[in-house]
Amino acid sequence: MVLIDGTLIRSQRRTGRTDRRNYSGKHRSHGLHFLALTDEKGRLIWISAARPGRTHDNTAACHDHILAHLRAAGLGALADLGFRGLDNDILDPVIVTGYTASRTHKLTPGEKEANRILAIGRAPVEHGFAHLKNWRILTKLRTDPARATRLLRALLVLTNLEVNR
């Protein structure tokens, strides 16, 4: 079982029209979007390439073929509601997400309890991102996506060394 989530690594705004796609309306800031897989203890296993900040979790997972890789490895994943609709296989789901309420459909007590248990199980992925974002170099990130990807992957290794001490 792995945990999957996406995060925005904030960056300083670079000049030019090409940087407009790095603006995340959800976070109201510029940055680069990364997906990460962690184990059940919150240790980072894999981090994706940098994508523009406006990229949705579902879109990034489709471009990285996360579903196919998880099926091939025989793994399941816990994810937040940002990944809803990614795995449409009802009989054998690989990615498990929570339930969502709408104006006409209120959550039942069982669905609320399932969401609570899922949130408890997903907490380590948030801790993994928190450990990664502790690096001071990420507070002043102002570089192109290819260099940011290499930087984050190097920090992933250093973070795992630091956390596992």
Side-chain angles (χ1 to χ4, degrees), residues 52-81:
R54 68 181 182 188
T55 306
H56 193 271
D57 289 342
N58 236 349
T59 305
C62 285
H63 285 290
D64 287 331
H65 307 289
I66 295 292
L67 198 60
H69 290 300
L70 289 174
R71 280 196 198 285
L75 291 172
L78 295 180
D80 60 2
L81 292 177

Side-chain angles (χ1 to χ4, degrees), residues 78-80 96-99 113-123:
L78 295 180
D80 60 2
V96 178
T97 60
Y99 295 98
E113 182 67 17
N115 280 353
R116 191 182 69 74
I117 292 170
L118 182 67
I120 291 169
R122 280 190 15 68

Side-chain angles (χ1 to χ4, degrees), residues 81 84 99-107 111-112 115:
L81 292 177
R84 220 182 58 204
Y99 295 98
T100 183
S102 67
R103 195 178 301 177
T104 58
H105 171 71
K106 304 297 180 204
L107 292 180
E111 290 171 338
K112 288 180 182 180
N115 280 353

Side-chain angles (χ1 to χ4, degrees), residues 13-163:
R13 187 185 191 292
R14 298 173 73 193
T15 58
R17 286 180 163 246
T18 57
D19 193 55
R20 288 186 185 169
R21 58 193 210 134
N22 290 338
Y23 183 76
S24 171
K26 176 182 175 183
H27 300 281
R28 292 191 174 114
S29 66
H30 285 79
L32 297 171
H33 182 267
F34 289 92
L35 282 181
L37 291 176
T38 64
D39 63 2
E40 60 274 354
K41 293 183 180 176
R43 290 183 298 240
L44 293 162
I45 300 170
W46 172 82
I47 196 158
S48 72
R51 297 220 183 312
R54 68 181 182 188
T55 306
H56 193 271
D57 289 342
N58 236 349
T59 305
C62 285
H63 285 290
D64 287 331
H65 307 289
I66 295 292
L67 198 60
H69 290 300
L70 289 174
R71 280 196 198 285
L75 291 172
L78 295 180
D80 60 2
L81 292 177
F83 292 92
R84 220 182 58 204
L86 180 64
D87 189 7
N88 291 328
D89 189 3
I90 297 172
L91 299 177
D92 187 25
V94 173
I95 296 179
V96 178
T97 60
Y99 295 98
T100 183
S102 67
R103 195 178 301 177
T104 58
H105 171 71
K106 304 297 180 204
L107 292 180
T108 65
E111 290 171 338
K112 288 180 182 180
E113 182 67 17
N115 280 353
R116 191 182 69 74
I117 292 170
L118 182 67
I120 291 169
R122 280 190 15 68
V125 74
E126 304 297 340
H127 294 294
F129 274 133
H131 287 304
L132 184 66
K133 288 182 177 182
N134 277 339
W135 292 96
R136 186 172 178 206
I137 193 168
L138 294 180
T139 60
K140 297 181 180 180
L141 189 64
R142 186 176 176 164
T143 184
D144 63 332
R147 192 170 285 176
T149 300
R150 288 194 301 270
L151 173 68
L152 258 294
R153 289 185 176 160
L155 290 177
L156 173 123
V157 173
L158 293 173
T159 301
N160 284 339
L161 288 174
E162 185 69 24
V163 170

